[in-house]
Amino acid sequence: MKLVPLGDKVVVRRTEAEDRSSGGIVIPDAAKERPQQGRVLSVGDGCRLPDGSRAKPQVVEGDRVLFNRFAGTEVVIEGEELLILDEREILAVVA
């Protein structure tokens, strides 16, 4: 099943959290922080402008993006955890 976002929404898959610290210590699942970056899977048509046209989205499928830790809405589709964000919740594209 493909998830198709509407308007200025973006579907993102979070990257995996690190299992080890920079010093080599194994981090238990309970202590891991939620990743704040992910890969864009799908992009909506863009937000509607006052004249009725749509603004072109600033991100495209495949972009790596940064977002706030608690941004968006988490959904589970076919056992996969995804995040639906407003485009304005995306802070940056990682080049």
Side-chain angles (χ1 to χ4, degrees), residues 7-8 46-55:
D8 67 338
C47 65
R48 188 166 303 275
L49 299 174
D51 67 357
S53 63
R54 291 204 179 263

Side-chain angles (χ1 to χ4, degrees), residues 69-86:
R69 183 168 290 135
F70 300 104
T73 302
E74 293 180 354
V75 295
V76 177
I77 303 294
E78 295 179 354
E80 183 177 18
E81 292 183 19
L82 301 174
L83 190 62
I84 301 176
L85 299 166
D86 287 334

Side-chain angles (χ1 to χ4, degrees), residues 16-48:
E16 294 296 319
E18 294 294 323
D19 291 339
R20 295 183 182 270
S21 69
S22 58
I25 298 172
V26 176
I27 302 172
D29 288 338
K32 287 183 186 175
E33 292 188 18
R34 300 168 75 185
Q36 292 178 268
Q37 65 177 294
R39 180 91 41 200
V40 175
L41 299 179
S42 186
V43 180
D45 296 336
C47 65
R48 188 166 303 275

